[in-house]
Structure formats: C-alpha cells, structure tokens
Amino acid sequence: MGSKLQNTQLGTSPLGYALGAEIEGLDISLNLGSQIYEAINHIWQEHHVVVFRGKHLQPRDIVFFAEGFGDLDDHASTPFYRHPDVPQLLQITNRLIDGKPSETRNTGRNWHSDYSYTGRPAAASLLYCNQCPPVGGDTMFANMVRAYESLSGTMKGIVDNLHAVYDVSLTAGINERDASKTAEVRRLNPPIAHPAVRVHPRSGKRALYVSERVSHFHGMTRAESKPLIEFLCCHATQPENVYRHNWREGDLVCWDNRTVMHIALADFDQNQPRHMLRATILGEDSGFVVRDE
Ligand code: SIN
C-alpha cells in the first residue's frame, strides 16, 4: 500500500512543519486490525507525533489501543504512580491522591525521552487527556531526527561515537517528591549509558538521543560534557524544530520516544485540574549501568 493511499484512508493533516500530524475520523476504541495499525505506524514514522482528537476513552480502551503497537511497560521503574486498577497506565495528574497533592503533578518539566534512565527506554508513549485546564498545560515536542541531520558532518561523527549517561536524579522536580519513594526510584534506576544516536528499528532513521536528563558522556568528565549537552539540547529545541500541543479533553497524543523528546509546561493555574493517563510501549534492551564516573 502506498503512503498517499494510506494517508488518504486515514485522513491525515499535518500539525507542524517539523513534526506532528492529526489522524481524523478513526474510532480507536474498535478492534482495528493489523492493516490499520500498519497505516498508523507509517504516518507515525513520518510525523513522529500523531494526534487523535475528541475520543471518549476509558482506561482499558487506551490499553487496548496501545497494545496494537507493541508490549506495554508495566511502569515498574516508577511503581508508585500507576493507575490503581490498570497498572499499564501511569497517572500524570494534579488531582489529590489520598487527600494529598499528587506526586506526578509536575511530571516532565524538562526535555526528555520517556524512561531513558532504564535498560529498556520507551519506544513510544500514548497520553490521553481526561481533563485539562482552560488555558496552558501544553506539551512541546522536538524532532530529534532533524536535530541529528542538521548537525555538521564533524559533529555527527562526534555524537555517533558517544554514549550519554542518563540519571533519573535529573528528572525535574524529583527532589520535591516523597523522599522514600524517590530513593526507591533511584535504587531501581542506577545511571545508565545509551548511544547518543538512536537508530529507529523500523525506519532506520538516526536520531539524536541526548536530553536534559543526561549527566555526562561516558568516559568524559561532567565539566567536559556540559557544554556539549547544552549545545545539543539547545540545537534540538529551536522553535523551528518543535511542535507545541495545546490539549483538549479527549485528545490522545502518541509520540515516538526514539525520534522525539518532549517537555510538559507548567504554564497553567495548578488549581485547575489536569488529569492525563499514559501508556508506554517498551523499547529494545539498551545500555550499560555506569558506576563511579
Ligand atoms: C510526560 O513527560 O510523559 C508527561 C507529558 C505531559 O504531561 O504533558
């Protein structure tokens, strides 16, 4: 099936120049079949972020749809934040939980790719908006394939040979969470090195795999690494390389963590509810644990 025909069948419209497309008119709560999943994957690989709007999904509908893309992470690396009845879903919410402010209310406040600090960094994430504030609470996405491709040949040669060390302690706001839970999350996720360029297993595209959660490059000091990490993050997140999603209730936004990094903005009134549910597709085994560096 050619790409035009697939796109026509699924009613796709681009949302941004660098990345992002909406897929219209598909009832994703149905059993879609492998051809439709193949068509979605095709669009997803081209646009990196795909958006479905106006969906009324129950937690199990999200899991059912997400399972068509691969095995789901059970979120064991951050076990405290799972949905109480559906452990395949992570709750990212500012609703009170057990009468206390939710620990996940400030999730994702620096540029990252999901679960990069684990041995199976996420392939993809699907985030459903159950409730959102009237203004703000947006999420921004950066195209890491374009970021890689627009480097000079010399810089490509440098990053091709680097391993980036991911440290869960660099997750923004982690120190404001419950100290015993944070200690457990650190114990479960020791610093881990992954190639600084990630090759997409289906498209073969090369993407920069560096974020604000990288402490240093393996074999280099933190002082040596810092300017390069800052340069690469700045380069990747230039406005021309970013799509900013303004949420509506019923949006399901799906991003490819192998080719995109993202950030959740705190640009909203925290008294207004923002309640999101995330399914995470497991990526391939990768990386090696780094100690004493
Ligand atoms: C995340 O980083 O997965 C959360 C994104 C969001 O809440 O917008």
Side-chain angles (χ1 to χ4, degrees):
M1 207 193 286
S3 108
K4 276 209 169 104
L5 181 56
Q6 288 177 2
N7 291 2
T8 309
Q9 278 186 336
L10 289 183
T12 306
S13 48
L15 293 169
Y17 179 65
L19 72 168
E22 180 177 348
I23 297 179
E24 292 141 358
L26 186 67
D27 186 348
I28 58 176
S29 62
L30 299 177
N31 193 347
L32 292 175
S34 58
Q35 270 194 322
I36 298 285
Y37 273 101
E38 202 43 52
I40 297 171
N41 271 321
H42 190 88
I43 297 162
W44 202 349
Q45 275 164 48
E46 191 179 332
H47 295 277
H48 309 286
V49 175
V50 289
V51 175
F52 301 88
R53 289 210 189 251
K55 306 297 173 201
H56 300 284
L57 302 178
Q58 295 303 313
R60 290 194 193 280
D61 297 329
I62 305 167
V63 169
F64 181 65
F65 176 63
E67 279 172 340
F69 296 104
D71 294 335
L72 297 194
D73 199 312
D74 63 1
H75 303 114
S77 55
T78 51
F80 311 107
Y81 313 127
R82 297 188 255 215
H83 186 285
D85 306 318
V86 187
Q88 301 95 324
L89 294 179
L90 202 63
Q91 289 194 112
I92 298 170
T93 186
N94 63 0
R95 286 184 186 165
L96 294 183
I97 299 208
D98 300 330
K100 288 189 278 185
S102 158
E103 294 263 297
T104 59
R105 65 191 181 284
N106 283 317
T107 295
R109 297 277 186 258
N110 56 357
W111 282 102
H112 67 285
S113 173
D114 289 329
Y115 287 154
S116 47
Y117 49 78
T118 73
R120 282 192 79 173
S125 299
L126 294 84
L127 188 65
Y128 180 67
C129 177
N130 192 281
Q131 249 186 321
C132 60
V135 284
D138 295 355
T139 307
M140 298 203 297
F141 300 90
N143 181 337
M144 301 304 274
V145 174
R146 274 170 61 104
Y148 176 76
E149 285 174 354
S150 56
L151 293 171
S152 66
T154 304
M155 185 58 91
K156 279 186 190 138
I158 293 171
V159 291
D160 280 342
N161 287 301
L162 291 176
H163 278 78
V165 180
Y166 284 87
D167 187 346
V168 70
S169 306
L170 296 178
T171 301
I174 194 165
N175 293 326
E176 285 134 44
R177 297 185 185 186
D178 176 281
S180 63
K181 289 183 185 158
T182 299
E184 178 62 0
V185 167
R186 284 201 176 97
R187 190 191 65 76
L188 289 169
N189 303 287
I192 187 162
H194 296 294
V197 176
R198 199 164 168 184
V199 182
H200 195 286
R202 291 173 66 105
S203 68
K205 285 183 183 162
R206 298 175 75 73
L208 192 59
Y209 194 60
V210 173
S211 80
E212 292 180 345
R213 297 185 183 173
V214 170
S215 57
H216 64 289
F217 294 107
H218 180 53
M220 289 170 66
T221 66
R222 282 165 171 70
E224 287 167 343
S225 308
K226 189 169 182 275
L228 187 51
I229 297 167
E230 282 175 2
F231 164 74
L232 293 170
C233 287
C234 238
H235 169 74
T237 59
Q238 292 171 77
E240 295 77 11
N241 199 39
V242 166
Y243 163 65
R244 179 170 177 152
H245 188 74
N246 176 227
W247 291 94
R248 292 183 214 151
E249 285 166 14
D251 283 357
L252 180 76
V253 174
C254 314
W255 60 89
D256 192 326
N257 284 292
R258 298 162 294 200
T259 59
V260 165
M261 68 174 176
H262 63 284
I263 184 169
L265 303 180
D267 63 335
F268 69 105
D269 175 0
Q270 283 276 3
N271 295 313
Q272 301 287 340
R274 185 179 190 273
H275 185 72
M276 321 287 272
L277 297 173
R278 194 184 90 197
T280 314
I281 315 286
L282 278 168
E284 302 74 39
D285 282 326
S286 165
F288 52 90
V289 169
V290 172
R291 299 196 192 274
D292 304 327
E293 199 175 62

